[in-house]
Amino acid sequence: MNKQNLTIGGKELRSRFFLGTGRYPNPFVQNEAIRASDAEILTFAIRRVNLEAPGEDAILQHLEEERNFTYLPNTSGAKTAEEAVRIARLARASGLSDWIKVEISANEKTLLPDPIETLKATETLVSEGFTVLPYTSDDPVLCKRLEEAGAAAVMPGGSPIGTGLGILNPYNLGLIIEEANVPIIVDAGLGSAMDVTQAMELGADGVLMNTPVARAKNPVKMAEAMKLAIEAGRLSYEAGRIPKKKYATASSGLPSFISN
């Protein structure tokens, strides 16, 4: 993708950090964390927003005054494609956004995305003109199918939502990125700046997170740490790391210092 900026659905973004708005200790900390992150995309569960008066909603009312955010509402809580589509339509009808993160989980224990329902919802919402970013598992075949269905970006999880386990299968994620013709945003399961850097060094176009920032001991500092990790990981990916070798290679050219 573009070296400087990321483009999704025709919108150019400076930041590769997508930030969730839930689970912060209070609105002040939430706002300070958002400011520290420099994120331009904010995500939240539609079911948490008052769709009858979104401009007065407690989650959103204090954000637009300072910066022009792009909202990425999600369909968290949906268990079928039909539910997700209905939720997305309600969000758009309220004037909230025509961007939508499809999130469909059939199992409340693991919250792993339902692949069949996610694909069905993506196909329907794309046909209705939504900018669709589906949250999915790290299955390279499924990610490709979602791209072919018209997803503006695909969002595979590094591990289950909220676990902080990091990237459990970097090989799969690398395959997804290698084959993609749309941006790949790593979503779910990351826990630290190390995880974020790994995702970006693998070639991910961005990272979405909520819990690692919101539930940190200091969310504001963690938001800044994650922002810097994204930038460092992206620079490292663009610079190109040295190949891994089995044996040591002297960087000083030791033989040249040996004299008779």
Side-chain angles (χ1 to χ4, degrees):
M1 300 300 155
N2 189 304
K3 183 176 179 181
Q4 283 76 37
N5 295 334
L6 171 63
T7 300
I8 295 178
K11 187 176 185 64
E12 190 173 275
L13 304 166
R14 292 180 298 98
S15 173
R16 296 173 182 269
F17 194 172
F18 293 45
L19 187 62
T21 58
R23 309 197 71 189
Y24 290 88
N26 58 63
F28 175 78
V29 171
Q30 172 190 283
N31 289 348
E32 290 301 302
I34 291 170
R35 186 175 294 110
S37 74
D38 277 340
E40 297 171 272
I41 304 289
L42 299 181
T43 185
F44 45 84
I46 297 171
R47 62 181 178 173
R48 294 173 48 226
V49 175
N50 177 12
L51 294 180
E52 294 183 0
E56 300 175 7
D57 190 88
I59 300 172
L60 307 177
Q61 63 180 347
H62 47 274
L63 299 177
E64 292 187 25
E65 296 179 1
E66 297 183 9
R67 292 174 56 189
N68 185 25
F69 295 104
T70 295
Y71 293 146
L72 177 62
N74 67 65
T75 64
S76 173
K79 295 184 178 180
T80 67
E82 289 75 14
E83 288 182 31
V85 168
R86 183 171 65 252
I87 292 170
R89 288 170 178 165
L90 287 171
R92 183 163 69 178
S94 73
L96 192 59
S97 179
D98 61 359
W99 283 43
I100 192 72
K101 175 187 171 184
V102 172
E103 187 173 332
I104 304 173
S105 302
N107 187 316
E108 294 185 3
K109 181 177 181 181
T110 65
L111 295 178
L112 290 172
D114 185 311
I116 297 172
E117 297 299 303
T118 298
L119 181 56
K120 286 169 57 179
T122 297
E123 291 171 338
T124 299
L125 292 170
V126 167
S127 72
E128 295 183 7
F130 285 86
T131 298
V132 185
L133 290 79
Y135 163 59
T136 183
S137 60
D138 59 353
D139 180 341
V141 175
L142 177 58
C143 287
K144 197 64 181 177
R145 293 290 181 266
L146 289 165
E147 175 188 323
E148 292 168 350
V154 178
M155 309 177 77
S159 53
I161 291 175
T163 61
L165 292 172
I167 298 173
L168 297 182
N169 197 333
Y171 175 76
N172 270 24
L173 188 55
L175 287 179
I176 291 167
I177 292 166
E178 181 181 340
E179 294 296 320
N181 294 309
V182 296
I184 299 298
I185 311 299
V186 177
D187 176 11
L190 305 182
S192 70
M194 178 180 70
D195 300 333
V196 170
T197 303
Q198 182 186 17
M200 298 304 294
E201 285 186 321
L202 285 168
D205 295 284
V207 168
L208 188 153
M209 65 183 68
N210 188 173
T211 304
V213 174
R215 306 305 290 176
K217 291 182 179 178
N218 188 322
V220 179
K221 284 188 175 181
M222 187 59 78
E224 184 174 7
M226 297 303 193
K227 177 190 74 172
L228 295 174
I230 290 170
E231 294 173 359
R234 183 67 185 181
L235 283 173
S236 178
Y237 170 72
E238 291 174 348
R241 63 158 291 145
I242 62 170
K244 295 181 180 180
K245 298 181 179 180
K246 186 175 182 181
Y247 299 109
T249 302
S251 59
S252 58
L254 184 60
S256 64
F257 293 97
I258 300 176
S259 57
N260 294 329

